[in-house]
Amino acid sequence: MSGLLTVVRRTVHDAFFRPETPARLVVLQGGFMAFFAARILVEPAHRLTPQPPGLFRPVPMIELLDRMPPKGVVIAGEIIVLLAVAAWFRVGRSPEWRARGRRIAYVVAWVVFLLLATLPASRGKIWHRDLLLIWGSAPLLFAPTDGSWRDRRTTRRAGFAVNSSIAFLSVAYFCTGFQKLKASGLEWIFSDNLQWALYWGRVRGDPPPWRELAFFIADRPWLSQLSAAFIVAFEVGFILVLFFPKTRPAFIVAAWMFHVGTYLMLGLDYWFYAFVVTLVLVDWPRIAERVRRQPVPAPA
Amino acid sequence: MSTDTKAAELAPNPVTIGVVLVLLTLLLLAGLGTKEWWPFTGWRLYSNMKGPTSGSYFAYRVDPSGEEHAVDYHDLPYAYARAPYILEKFPKLSAAERGGVCDALAHGEREAGRPVEEILIYWERRRVVPVGTKRHTKLLERELYATCGEERS
């Protein structure tokens, strides 16, 4: 029994404190900053203004507001995030300012991005679309900011930040799968549930880009149930990436299959989930190193 | 620099560890307990079973001739895009909140150049009918639930 406890304790400890390179941490920080900017440019929150007060349902974080903030305020917030992102990349070139400058820029970008994300979330329905970006990037608020791309000595300090980000993603996906089983049980998989979900598509909004594929699967009960099993296995099983790094490539592929599939068949735009999973689970410096070491074929 | 100092620098700060683990625990508790304290959430994404029928509240605009037209949110600014989800909570809203929702929809329709005498809220149950590669819905039940925030029934 004590042997099992020791193994469990060591596995959990390794999951969070496995050393990583500061280079990988820098890629994560820069990647999340780029995603904040991209998210704001692709779907700016100021499009939500002006909004009649009757349609404003503030989330608890901003419940003191009785209406959507004015367009000017929202645009100011978006500009602050974009400037913070630009500053993060700019100060990285200066060893003197890198650590403090990047910390301030990252914290400002994250906090203002979170505040902007409360606005689409305050329209009467839970807004999940930004949450993986918010939670995946949250542990890096406290991470060291003095690393550089060239720094390849592994440290537990960088490792804790990278592994924590993976842990937040794991909890998010695990809970999404868990909620399916909690609300509907195994019937979510072994019934006509997904068939009808595919026939309905998005009840509100535009038709999905590839309804033919949705109907192809829905018309075949065995394929619908297989797809449902894949979804639940992917979401619940995502927790494995935290403890078993070798499973990560499989879950990156599965994440793309899942999110591209839900976009094509249901019209649900969760592209940033796939981007975040890829950013966080891939060891980019190691890949760069492998590519660099590839022998160049001799000219024929 | 001593070896101890160097090791301490390369280890995560205990306060950092504590804060991150508290946030992670809260995220897990909200996720397992289905709590909505955004950005902590219950992660309910398509978690309920789907079937062939579905009931929802729908808003209709009444023009001066008395004709009813379904409010088309694609024809309204993006700020209105999630108004249908507020209609789903219509029975739980106070009279003032219902009035606010109806006023907002009437305002949007008028701004788009469509005359509005009143806004009607219907509860409708529909069945999905896949035909070829198109999705049709068949109306099964329809009941007038409210008009501009005042419940009729």
Side-chain angles (χ1 to χ4, degrees), chain B residues 6-101:
Chain B
K6 197 168 180 181
E9 271 187 10
L10 298 180
N13 180 330
V15 177
T16 298
I17 296 172
V19 172
V20 168
L21 292 184
V22 166
L23 285 175
L24 189 63
T25 305
L26 288 174
L27 190 68
L28 182 63
L29 290 178
L32 296 180
T34 328
K35 302 293 180 196
E36 296 298 347
W37 313 306
W38 199 98
F40 298 96
T41 177
W43 299 103
R44 285 172 297 170
L45 288 137
Y46 277 71
S47 56
N48 291 323
M49 299 284 285
K50 299 279 185 205
T53 65
S54 172
S56 292
Y57 292 89
F58 291 87
Y60 286 79
R61 163 182 68 91
V62 181
D63 70 16
S65 68
E67 199 173 335
E68 297 177 6
H69 309 266
V71 173
D72 184 353
Y73 300 95
H74 293 97
D75 278 352
L76 294 176
Y78 184 64
Y80 291 78
R82 293 217 142 193
Y85 295 107
I86 297 179
L87 290 181
E88 294 303 322
K89 294 170 183 160
F90 216 72
K92 293 179 186 167
L93 301 183
S94 68
E97 288 172 325
R98 291 179 182 192
V101 173

Side-chain angles (χ1 to χ4, degrees), chain A residues 69-114:
Chain A
K71 188 180 283 260
V73 173
V74 180
I75 290 176
E78 290 167 346
I79 291 172
I80 289 171
V81 174
L82 295 175
L83 287 176
V85 171
W88 190 92
F89 284 100
R90 183 72 188 82
V91 297
R93 295 180 190 167
S94 157
E96 189 185 349
W97 290 98
R98 186 186 295 150
R100 181 171 296 180
R102 279 193 163 169
R103 181 174 301 285
I104 293 169
Y106 192 91
V107 170
V108 168
W110 191 88
V111 170
V112 180
F113 184 85
L114 174 67

Side-chain angles (χ1 to χ4, degrees), chain A residues 16-17 43-44 47-52 54-57 59-61 114 117-118 120-121 123-132 134-135 138-139 142-143 153-158 160 164 167-168 171-172 174-176 178-180 182-184 187-188 191-193 196-197 199-206 211-212 215 266 268 270 273, chain B residues 6-13 16-21 23-24 27-28 30-54 56-58 73-74 77-89 93 97-98 100-101 103-105 107-108 126-128 130-135 137:
Chain A
F16 283 93
F17 298 102
E43 201 169 349
R47 286 173 66 210
L48 300 171
T49 64
Q51 186 199 49
L55 299 182
F56 188 64
R57 293 286 177 280
V59 292
M61 257 183 74
L114 174 67
T118 61
R123 296 183 297 162
K125 189 173 191 299
I126 304 302
W127 180 254
H128 295 100
R129 210 184 288 178
D130 292 321
L131 286 180
L132 206 66
I134 287 168
W135 283 121
F142 316 100
R153 305 163 300 146
T154 57
T155 70
R156 286 201 299 132
R157 211 163 55 127
F160 180 72
S164 299
F168 275 78
V171 166
F174 172 79
C175 288
T176 308
F178 172 81
Q179 284 296 336
K180 289 180 174 67
K182 183 181 175 186
S184 307
E187 253 197 297
W188 200 93
S191 70
D192 53 7
N193 166 54
W196 291 114
Y199 282 137
W200 276 108
R202 262 175 91 190
V203 178
R204 317 280 191 187
D206 294 324
R211 180 164 272 159
E212 292 84 351
F215 279 18
L266 297 174
L268 299 175
Y270 279 80
Y273 275 50
Chain B
K6 197 168 180 181
E9 271 187 10
L10 298 180
N13 180 330
T16 298
I17 296 172
V19 172
V20 168
L21 292 184
L23 285 175
L24 189 63
L27 190 68
L28 182 63
L32 296 180
T34 328
K35 302 293 180 196
E36 296 298 347
W37 313 306
W38 199 98
F40 298 96
T41 177
W43 299 103
R44 285 172 297 170
L45 288 137
Y46 277 71
S47 56
N48 291 323
M49 299 284 285
K50 299 279 185 205
T53 65
S54 172
S56 292
Y57 292 89
F58 291 87
Y73 300 95
H74 293 97
Y78 184 64
Y80 291 78
R82 293 217 142 193
Y85 295 107
I86 297 179
L87 290 181
E88 294 303 322
K89 294 170 183 160
L93 301 183
E97 288 172 325
R98 291 179 182 192
V101 173
D103 288 349
L105 295 177
H107 174 78
R126 290 174 179 272
R127 172 185 288 274
V128 66
V131 179
T133 56
K134 298 254 189 267
R135 183 198 78 177
T137 60

